[in-house]
Amino acid sequence: MATWTLVASAPASAADCGPVNTQVTGLSEAQMESSIGCLINDERASYGLQPVTPNAELRQAALSHSDEMISQSYFEHTSPAGLTFIDRIEATGYMTGARSWTVGENLVWGTGPLSTPQAVVTAWMNSPPHRENLLRPAYREIGIAALAGTPALRSDLTGVTVSSEYEERTFASSKKSKRKKGKAHKARKHRRNHH
């Protein structure tokens, strides 16, 4: 399970986010995910937004998707079996009891110099729909899964495939059950590779 620490007193800088320019071959999953999460919060802080905190259930949804995309050689928000990121998040139990929710998903893969935490976050920030997810003010939690390998070539360990699940949820304040409302935001797919 990935966990990372946030310093609340000041916005993070890339220097505080660990090995942000190290390729996936030189990082553990935990280091990669922690650095990506820190850089996301650095971007959010630069826009005056609250940080997102890691959530194990959201990471599980992201992990299952990154793993499936690599093992089945596809790169989409919806699996070949028709499962959406909402289906994956619901399967973890994360939305149980939520009165309303807003979810988003960003995906990216890259190889070589495009497999660093900084390259991943830069790719998202340079893509308007991905940037919109990353900077959505309502989001409070995130699950990040960064796995070695790519949808193009599972055995390419110089590459990384990253799924990030963003979420904001509210719970009913009384025992009265209200109708569940939800919104979903997926960024158009963004693929980066290096030849």
Side-chain angles (χ1 to χ4, degrees):
M1 171 171 55
T3 59
W4 22 284
T5 305
L6 301 172
V7 178
S9 59
S13 69
D16 299 332
C17 291
V20 299
N21 292 308
T22 301
Q23 294 179 23
V24 69
T25 53
L27 299 172
S28 69
E29 269 180 35
Q31 288 173 314
M32 185 76 166
E33 292 166 8
S34 178
S35 290
I36 291 169
C38 181
L39 290 168
I40 287 170
N41 280 330
D42 185 27
E43 292 291 349
R44 289 177 65 85
S46 73
Y47 284 85
L49 301 172
Q50 291 183 355
V52 287
T53 58
N55 177 279
E57 292 164 316
L58 292 177
R59 183 183 183 273
Q60 184 56 46
L63 182 62
S64 69
H65 194 49
S66 287
D67 184 56
E68 183 179 68
M69 287 190 297
I70 293 168
S71 67
Q72 294 187 20
S73 301
Y74 76 93
F75 187 68
E76 298 288 338
H77 291 282
T78 302
S79 76
L83 293 175
T84 68
F85 63 99
I86 296 170
D87 297 325
R88 289 187 294 277
I89 293 169
E90 285 181 326
T92 69
Y94 181 83
M95 293 184 197
T96 302
R99 180 175 49 92
S100 66
W101 46 266
T102 303
V103 295
E105 176 175 79
N106 281 350
L107 308 174
V108 68
W109 70 269
T111 59
L114 300 177
S115 72
T116 70
Q118 186 66 65
V120 165
V121 175
T122 298
W124 285 333
M125 288 301 292
N126 288 337
S127 165
H130 292 91
R131 183 176 54 248
E132 182 180 342
N133 268 347
L134 197 143
L135 299 177
R136 189 171 302 279
Y139 291 149
R140 297 291 178 257
E141 295 182 300
I142 191 170
I144 301 167
L147 297 181
T150 70
L153 185 60
R154 176 192 324 189
S155 63
D156 182 3
L157 301 182
T158 68
V160 65
T161 300
V162 183
S163 298
S164 61
E165 312 297 340
Y166 300 84
E167 179 90 30
E168 177 271 331
R169 60 187 169 168
T170 58
F171 294 93
S173 57
S174 69
K175 289 190 177 187
K176 273 190 172 177
S177 175
K178 294 189 178 183
R179 189 172 172 208
K180 189 183 275 190
K181 294 187 246 178
K183 293 180 190 174
H185 303 278
K186 68 179 176 184
R188 284 175 281 172
K189 62 184 174 182
H190 192 261
R191 186 179 113 200
R192 296 172 46 112
N193 58 12
H194 186 268
H195 297 284

